[in-house]
Amino acid sequence: MSMTLLAPRWVWCPEGGLRENHAVLVGADGAILDVLPDGTAIDARRIDLPGSLLLPGLINLHNHAMSGPMFRGLADDIAPGDLPGHIVFSLLMPMGDLAAEIMTEAEVGDAAEMALLEGLRCGMTTVLDVYRLQQAPFIARARGLGLRSYSCPYLFSTPGLDMAPDGTPLYRPEGSADPGFDAIVRLIEAHDEGPRGRTRVGFGPHGPDSCTPDLLRRVEAKAREMDTIVSIHAAQNLHEVEIVRQRHGKAPMEHLRDLGLLREGVVLAHAMYATDDELELARAGGAAIASCPLAFARSGRFVPLARFEASGVRLGIGTDGVTLDMVQELRTASIFAKVQSAAPHGLSAPRVLRAATRDAALALGRPDLGVVAPGARADLIAIDLSSSRYQPVWDPLKAFVTNGSAADLSLVMVEGRELLRDGRVTVADERAVTRRGAAAIERVWQEALRRGRIPRSVAERAGRAAPAHA
């Protein structure tokens, strides 16, 4: 690959700020060589991006790629009486178990690739994904698309989270299932490319309620030994908070701190019900919180983004699989913070963009990501601000966060390689992938209807009924 010169109208870097009419020179090795006020004399392949804003690629710090297509529409507008209990335990987990049971490796890969294409189209250059071990074909599909991925397969100390008759989660005896620890170690050995690699594999213990202290201690020790990351749900629902207090006499974050899991290299998903004291523990320990505002908004709850921001904890943004549209997720995060703080400057455009770029990169231990500066990896996106949606442009960052649409992305680049150019994905046949991925998910839906896993009221509102042979 020869050198490439990117010539946008604006360049933004969380560290260097906003610059107009500067060019970015990318080397043959996929690193940024320079940011220049004038690139006309440079002998390089040139990509002109008139009217575009160039910024670091967006980092999705918490996602379940299989959940995006699996629950699209299925988990929305849930009415009273539809589910016997919490949506996680009465719909999401059982459907995930079914998918893991019946989907072939090819089907898993097709569904995951379809979801990843959605993320790529929305400016996502890096994704941290949490999934069941059976969904490990995700790794090859992300690599094939050229995306930067962090895979954190689930670990459970129980063989499943079912529902008790009263609608609460049913935790089977701890230690009654093989948690898959050794299988994850083998995945790391087979696929992880090391601290500066594009493909990384870590550990995804589900939560402090569904993993024993012994398992979490093993995860902590092995993750340090193998120099990889840990992603864990923490304080994500009140059932978890109650269970951890009953078993261990402390709050979830206190429990994780005592197990060594409030530190750099640990990503805490959601922290929805963390107290201010718990947020301070996370901040002091160096752990990051991945907040997914749309996932909770779908169930009628605000994520406490203003509290996260006030605490000073390292904050990243994720999509949780509801949608892989990081542009929409950033706008939602910014609006939520403004409403909660009653202040129009809450999670301003530069601040929320920093959360999805530089701060998320540091949470992953990657100081060479999330910036547009010499020496950084050339994971970059450009959005065309020339249409009526944005014009006239007073401030390109505010235009992007307030009005931005992923449909206006003109470039997505990872390690200097163009994955999307002029609105077209260059690394896959989108229609073919989407056709296969949709068919794979439709088969799961049909089997779920046949087995009665989808509530009748939810199915009827969608005009669906169980197959005649059910």
Side-chain angles (χ1 to χ4, degrees):
M1 183 196 304
S2 61
M3 292 193 300
T4 300
L5 189 75
L6 306 175
R9 169 74 184 278
W10 299 277
V11 176
W12 178 76
C13 171
E15 306 293 349
L18 184 66
R19 285 167 282 191
E20 191 170 4
N21 296 322
H22 277 57
V24 177
L25 184 63
V26 177
D29 64 347
I32 295 173
L33 299 177
D34 208 349
V35 181
L36 307 158
D38 182 7
T40 55
I42 300 295
D43 182 18
R45 183 175 70 99
R46 186 181 179 95
I47 298 178
D48 287 309
L49 300 163
S52 289
L53 167 66
L54 186 77
L55 63 158
L58 303 179
I59 298 174
N60 187 340
L61 201 56
H62 182 76
N63 187 62
H64 308 282
M66 292 294 294
S67 295
M70 184 79 66
F71 299 112
R72 187 160 291 150
L74 178 61
D76 294 306
D77 298 339
I78 298 297
D82 280 343
L83 301 176
H86 196 285
I87 188 172
V88 169
F89 308 106
S90 59
L91 182 63
L92 306 187
M93 296 297 290
M95 285 288 290
D97 289 341
L98 175 62
E101 175 190 339
I102 73 168
M103 292 180 81
T104 66
E105 286 190 14
E107 286 176 321
V108 168
D110 290 338
E113 187 172 0
M114 179 174 67
L116 288 169
L117 278 175
E118 179 189 354
L120 191 166
R121 274 201 157 279
C122 297
M124 179 188 80
T125 55
T126 297
V127 59
L128 188 161
D129 212 85
V130 183
Y131 51 76
R132 288 166 172 77
L133 273 166
Q134 296 91 333
Q135 295 161 359
F138 168 95
I139 297 172
R141 297 303 181 103
R143 181 186 284 131
L145 291 174
L147 290 167
R148 195 179 298 279
S149 69
Y150 287 73
S151 291
C152 293
Y154 270 136
L155 285 164
F156 293 92
S157 295
T158 61
L161 296 178
D162 292 334
M163 293 297 299
D166 63 354
T168 58
L170 178 63
Y171 295 85
R172 293 176 179 151
E174 290 188 339
S176 58
D178 175 8
F181 183 90
D182 292 338
I184 293 177
V185 171
R186 289 193 294 271
L187 277 180
I188 295 172
E189 292 171 342
H191 298 286
D192 186 68
E193 297 176 354
R196 291 296 178 265
R198 183 163 52 83
T199 299
R200 302 235 52 202
V201 183
F203 293 91
H206 177 263
D209 56 331
S210 51
C211 294
T212 63
D214 284 347
L215 177 57
L216 293 177
R217 289 189 190 97
R218 288 182 71 195
V219 167
E220 153 65 6
K222 199 66 175 179
R224 284 186 181 274
E225 176 190 328
M226 304 188 83
D227 195 11
T228 192
I229 64 167
V230 177
S231 175
I232 183 169
H233 295 93
Q236 74 163 327
N237 59 62
L238 292 175
H239 295 298
E240 172 207 323
V241 173
E242 181 181 356
I243 287 291
V244 173
R245 284 198 175 278
Q246 286 177 357
R247 291 178 181 168
H248 309 294
K250 60 190 78 169
M253 298 292 189
E254 295 175 302
H255 182 52
L256 293 176
R257 175 202 60 192
D258 293 346
L259 295 170
L261 285 169
L262 282 192
R263 59 167 177 81
E264 292 190 2
V266 175
V267 176
L268 308 168
H270 307 314
M272 180 73 180
Y273 295 98
T275 65
D276 289 346
D277 288 344
E278 287 182 279
L279 293 178
E280 171 56 23
L281 290 177
R283 186 205 64 77
I289 289 176
S291 183
C292 308
L294 281 173
F296 286 89
R298 179 165 68 176
S299 297
R301 294 190 293 275
F302 273 120
V303 167
L305 282 148
R307 288 181 53 234
F308 293 160
E309 175 69 356
S311 74
V313 71
R314 179 169 287 156
L315 177 64
I317 304 296
T319 61
D320 206 37
V322 174
T323 168
L324 274 77
D325 189 339
M326 282 289 288
V327 178
Q328 184 182 15
E329 203 79 44
L330 293 179
R331 182 178 303 118
T332 302
S334 180
I335 291 172
F336 278 15
K338 295 178 195 308
V339 172
Q340 292 163 5
S341 63
H345 60 274
L347 275 191
S348 65
R351 176 64 189 93
V352 76
L353 284 169
R354 181 184 178 96
T357 55
R358 186 57 167 170
D359 289 350
L362 294 175
L364 296 173
R366 292 299 300 261
D368 58 341
L369 298 179
V371 289
V372 185
R377 306 310 297 168
D379 291 13
L380 303 166
I381 64 172
I383 185 161
D384 183 358
L385 303 181
S386 63
S387 75
S388 58
R389 175 186 288 274
Y390 309 99
Q391 290 292 319
V393 177
W394 172 263
D395 180 317
L397 296 187
K398 295 175 186 176
F400 177 44
V401 173
T402 303
N403 280 22
S405 168
D408 295 319
L409 279 168
S410 52
L411 177 73
V412 175
M413 175 180 281
V414 173
E415 296 272 352
R417 179 189 180 194
E418 296 166 42
L419 311 186
L420 179 145
R421 178 77 185 275
D422 298 328
R424 185 179 65 84
V425 171
T426 63
V427 289
D429 181 340
E430 281 190 271
R431 289 186 179 181
V433 171
T434 301
R435 184 174 60 251
R436 294 193 304 267
I441 296 300
E442 186 67 40
R443 191 170 80 84
V444 176
W445 284 351
Q446 289 301 312
E447 182 64 13
L449 286 168
R450 190 185 72 81
R451 297 190 189 187
R453 297 284 183 89
I454 298 175
R456 181 184 298 273
S457 56
V458 172
E460 289 177 348
R461 281 201 300 274
R464 289 175 176 263
H469 61 278

